[in-house]
Amino acid sequence: MPRKLKTYTTTSGFYELAVAAPSMKAALEIWGSKSNLFQQGFAKETDDATIVNATMEHPGVVLRRPVGTQGAFKQNAELPKLEALRSAIARPPKSSLPKTKRVKKSASKKSDPATARAAAKLYDLEQKRRERDEQRAEARRVKEERHRAQGIEKAEAAFDNARALHEKRNSEIAKERDALDRREREEEERWRDQKESLEEALIRARRG
């Protein structure tokens, strides 16, 4: 059975937000809030007929209007003007919430059982759409994480291979250097012996 919906309002940045949801908890989840805005006094239920009717046409969807204004709530609201922002900033936090006007239940579509049921069904559809979007987002995140892990693994393998090749070449160079050093020592010894022999021959030749 579809759950009965209520309309909740809060503020976020440059906008006042409104949403039709079955509970405060559901509203907080839709707003993406990690803290209880209702307990903190930054969110509340409203029975303002204009706001209620707007949210019931798009249940489960966050509607916005520029902060400090009394215009209609929309899915894509324009930014507030500077004067409205200054006015909203000057007010205490609680008073920045949309003001509600007590009206008779009959003035709102909320009191129409058929409309309420239709709104609840739309909310369930919106909830399922949100869940699908979250699942797709999670699947993309997992895919990106896997791709990133594969990239890291590939880069680490390339680094390890390059380092191993570098160490191998250094080892070969060291062996070649040792061989050259040995040849140099052998040449020095050969030259020393030859030099001594030639010097002795030169001395004998000079003596006649």
Side-chain angles (χ1 to χ4, degrees):
M1 179 178 180
R3 293 168 291 179
K4 183 178 180 181
L5 303 181
K6 299 178 181 179
T7 296
Y8 303 98
T9 58
T10 188
T11 58
S12 177
F14 295 144
Y15 299 101
E16 294 175 353
L17 310 181
V19 67
S23 65
M24 294 180 180
K25 180 180 178 181
L28 292 172
E29 290 177 352
I30 295 172
W31 288 331
S33 176
K34 296 182 180 179
S35 59
N36 193 330
L37 301 177
F38 294 96
Q39 286 185 351
Q40 297 169 358
F42 295 110
K44 62 183 178 181
E45 180 185 353
T46 181
D47 58 3
D48 183 299
T50 301
I51 302 175
V52 171
N53 292 341
T55 59
M56 290 301 171
E57 290 180 359
H58 305 281
V61 177
V62 178
L63 302 184
R64 297 173 173 82
R65 74 179 176 189
V67 69
T69 67
Q70 296 299 318
F73 280 87
K74 306 174 183 177
Q75 292 190 54
N76 299 305
E78 64 277 8
L79 285 170
K81 296 182 179 179
L82 184 59
E83 295 77 8
L85 275 177
R86 287 174 175 171
S87 176
I89 292 172
R91 292 197 300 266
K94 288 186 179 181
S95 62
S96 66
L97 292 174
K99 295 181 179 179
T100 58
K101 182 178 179 181
R102 294 292 175 180
V103 295
K104 294 181 179 180
K105 297 295 182 179
S106 59
S108 169
K109 291 183 180 179
K110 190 178 179 182
S111 61
D112 182 354
T115 301
R117 286 194 298 272
K121 289 181 180 179
L122 287 175
Y123 174 84
D124 289 339
L125 291 175
E126 177 63 20
Q127 180 69 14
K128 291 178 181 178
R129 184 196 65 77
R130 259 197 319 275
E131 290 174 354
R132 288 195 301 271
D133 289 345
E134 290 174 357
Q135 290 172 354
R136 292 192 187 103
E138 177 64 15
R140 285 195 299 270
R141 186 192 67 79
V142 171
K143 183 178 180 180
E144 290 171 357
E145 286 293 333
R146 186 183 301 114
H147 181 72
R148 187 179 298 109
Q150 291 173 347
I152 293 172
E153 183 179 356
K154 183 178 180 180
E156 288 178 342
F159 179 82
D160 291 341
N161 290 336
R163 180 172 57 186
L165 178 60
H166 168 69
E167 292 174 351
K168 178 182 178 182
R169 288 179 175 175
N170 269 346
S171 178
E172 293 173 349
I173 291 171
K175 291 179 180 178
E176 291 174 1
R177 186 182 296 113
D178 290 341
L180 288 172
D181 290 343
R182 183 172 60 256
R183 288 178 59 189
E184 184 179 16
R185 288 193 302 270
E186 292 173 350
E187 175 60 23
E188 287 296 325
E189 292 175 359
R190 186 200 66 78
W191 167 240
R192 185 174 62 251
D193 295 340
Q194 184 182 27
K195 180 182 177 183
E196 291 177 355
S197 176
L198 291 173
E199 285 176 343
E200 291 176 358
L202 181 58
I203 292 172
R204 288 194 298 270
R206 285 175 179 174
R207 289 177 180 175

